[in-house]
């Protein structure tokens, strides 16, 4: 078994992305390593105390969470000097200038210019520099960097201060398009592994560098089959369609409304699970408000749940018959779809990005830009019990292979 100490650092704010996204990936990685007996230092910009239990390999009590932390998880919170009054002093790492003063458009343009000419990214590097404060790198066996948008700055900084160290880069989002082939190859030459969540993402890097590289690997996301499991008495046969995710145009909830408008039957319920932000209590975005207006004009019933805590997500999914995943962009993976498949729902998805790699033939594919085609796929699964049950069974079986 792997031994030693790992450092996991994410530059993203960990603020409650409960359906897909950075929080699940980073905390699951840290929790998984801890419960394998590996010592982990997790540095983040928000406290994760209320989320660790939800991402451990099995449900944990507060006492078990504290025991896990004591046995191997050293979680440190990166905050600006004037924040963090409610956190213990030994858990705080004072950072460099706030992210919103560094990751600005002028800063990005400066990085772009210097990166293309000199291969240097000082702004991206600064975003990660402060994470090393108070850490003795000589005692760290391996460093894992997360956040595909800026993590190349962390690779640059770590290589500069400890060129003989070993580092891995984990990306569940696309790498910045401003990086040219030379910079991408430089990243690959400096890391032990650059882990992508799908071959589709890895192939984008290969296309950009004009070939393969031994450090470039794919590790698909997984799912907890005990937490995300079908109902004991089988698939719900009520005509309930579920969409879950961040309520935003690229995730396509408006495409579901357009598709359902073409369905002859009016005896259906669409449940929109999630909000326009990554936590409760936020005001509805203009897009969300427009979505609710459009929903009022439909003949069926549309319910907006708002933000749903991760602990409740599987139960909400199991209340549905059909899950829809109408992504409007090349989704790096599609974790929300995998979780619905694990729950045994009959799924209709856009065949984009990494989705076909893990979903295989266990979902129905339809183009959400074609309302009639997407609507017809949903209608068939709402009206054909045998087809819905068979697809849900195959979806569960496929999810268990990951």
């Amino acid at each position: 078994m792997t031994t030693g100490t790992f450092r996991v650092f994410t530059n993203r704010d960990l603020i409650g992305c409960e359906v897909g996204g950075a929080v699940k990936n980073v905390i699951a990685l840290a929790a998984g390593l801890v419960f394998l007996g590996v010592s982990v230092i997790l540095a983040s910009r928000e406290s994760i105390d209320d989320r660790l239990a939800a991402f451990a390999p099995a449900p944990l009590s507060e006492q078990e969470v504290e025991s896990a932390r004591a046995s191997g998880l050293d979680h440190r919170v990166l905050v600006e000097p004037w924040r963090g009054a409610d956190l213990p002093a030994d858990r705080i790492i004072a950072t460099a200038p706030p992210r919103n003063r560094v990751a600005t458009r002028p800063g990005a343009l400066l990085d772009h210019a210097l990166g293309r000419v000199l291969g240097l990214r000082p702004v991206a590097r600064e975003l990660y520099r402060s994470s090393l404060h108070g850490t003795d790198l000589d005692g760290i066996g391996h460093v894992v960097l997360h956040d595909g948008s800026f993590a190349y700055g962390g690779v640059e900084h770590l290589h500069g201060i400890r060129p003989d160290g070993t580092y891995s880069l984990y990306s569940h989002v696309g790498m910045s398009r401003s990086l040219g082939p030379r910079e991408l190859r430089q990243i690959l030459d400096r890391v032990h592994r650059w882990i992508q969540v799908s071959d589709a993402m890895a192939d984008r890097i290969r296309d950009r560098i004009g070939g393969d590289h031994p450090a470039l690997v794919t590790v698909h996301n997984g799912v907890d089959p005990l937490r995300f499991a079908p109902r004991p008495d089988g698939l719900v046969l009520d005509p309930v369609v579920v969409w879950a995710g961040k309520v935003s145009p690229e995730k396509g909830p408006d495409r579901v409304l357009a598709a359902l408008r073409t369905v002859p039957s009016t005896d259906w319920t669409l449940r929109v699970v999630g909000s326009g932000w990554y936590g409760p209590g936020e005001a509805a975005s203009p897009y969300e408000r427009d979505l609710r207006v459009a929903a009022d004009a439909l003949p069926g019933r549309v319910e907006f749940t708002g933000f749903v805590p991760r602990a409740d997500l599987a139960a909400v999914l199991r209340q549905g018959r059909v899950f829809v995943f109408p992504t409007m962009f090349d989704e790096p993976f599609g974790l929300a779809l995998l979780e619905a498949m694990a729950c045994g729902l009959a799924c209709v998805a856009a065949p984009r990005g990494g989705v076909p790699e893990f979903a295989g033939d266990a979902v129905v594919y339809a183009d959400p830009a074609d309302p009639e085609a997407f609507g017809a796929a949903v209608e068939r699964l709402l009206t054909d019990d045998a087809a819905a049950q068979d697809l849900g069974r195959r979806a569960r079986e496929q999810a268990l292979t990951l």
Side-chain angles (χ1 to χ4, degrees), residues 28-52:
L29 172 61
L33 288 170
V34 167
F35 285 92
L36 286 173
V38 178
S39 177
V40 176
I41 298 174
L42 172 62
S44 65
R45 291 191 177 272
E46 297 288 340
S47 174
I48 61 165
D49 288 1
D50 60 343
R51 299 187 182 92
L52 177 61

Side-chain angles (χ1 to χ4, degrees), residues 151-183:
Y152 50 83
V155 173
E156 179 183 324
H157 181 67
L158 287 166
H159 181 78
I161 63 175
R162 197 176 72 158
D164 296 330
T166 60
Y167 319 104
S168 291
L169 178 58
Y170 175 77
S171 297
H172 87 286
V173 294
M175 181 56 72
S176 170
R177 289 176 294 179
S178 71
L179 274 75
R182 181 183 66 170
E183 291 179 279

Side-chain angles (χ1 to χ4, degrees), residues 177-311:
R177 289 176 294 179
S178 71
L179 274 75
R182 181 183 66 170
E183 291 179 279
L184 292 171
R185 284 192 292 268
Q186 187 177 67
I187 292 172
L188 286 160
D189 289 341
R190 289 175 172 175
V191 298
H192 173 65
R193 290 289 184 268
W194 189 352
I195 304 165
Q196 309 286 335
V197 296
S198 67
D199 289 334
M201 284 188 65
D203 287 343
R204 291 183 209 169
I205 302 296
R206 294 185 180 100
D207 289 344
R208 290 168 64 177
I209 65 174
D212 204 355
H213 193 285
L216 191 60
V217 298
T218 296
V219 178
H220 289 134
N221 288 328
V223 65
D224 183 341
L226 300 179
R227 181 168 295 154
F228 292 91
R231 295 170 70 246
D233 50 352
L235 180 68
V236 167
L237 294 182
D238 296 334
V240 178
V241 180
V242 178
W243 175 97
K246 180 183 178 183
V247 181
S248 57
E250 66 273 12
K251 296 294 187 178
D254 58 301
R255 296 292 84 204
V256 182
L257 298 184
L260 289 174
R261 192 175 292 115
T262 70
V263 172
S265 170
T266 61
D267 182 24
W268 50 260
T269 296
L270 170 64
R271 194 162 289 137
V272 178
V273 181
S275 65
W277 194 233
Y278 297 131
E282 297 289 336
S285 67
Y287 176 75
E288 288 179 274
R289 293 195 293 270
D290 291 344
L291 205 63
R292 291 172 182 267
V293 171
D296 288 340
L298 292 179
R301 178 185 178 89
V302 182
E303 301 173 354
F304 291 86
T305 68
F307 176 81
V308 171
R310 177 158 183 78

Side-chain angles (χ1 to χ4, degrees), residues 13 15 45-46 77-87 92 98:
D13 294 337
I15 50 178
R45 291 191 177 272
E46 297 288 340
V77 183
L78 306 176
V79 296
E80 286 74 37
W82 55 88
R83 296 174 59 205
D86 57 336
L87 295 169
I92 295 174

Side-chain angles (χ1 to χ4, degrees), residues 24 80 96 101 118 137 141 145 184 215 233 311 323 332 346 358 377-378:
K24 283 200 286 195
E80 286 74 37
R101 283 170 48 192
L118 302 176
L137 284 181
L145 290 165
L184 292 171
D233 50 352
F323 183 83
F358 72 85
V378 173

Side-chain angles (χ1 to χ4, degrees), residues 35 52-62 64-65 224 226-227 311:
F35 285 92
L52 177 61
F55 292 94
L60 301 172
S61 66
E62 291 183 7
E64 288 172 318
V65 171
D224 183 341
L226 300 179
R227 181 168 295 154

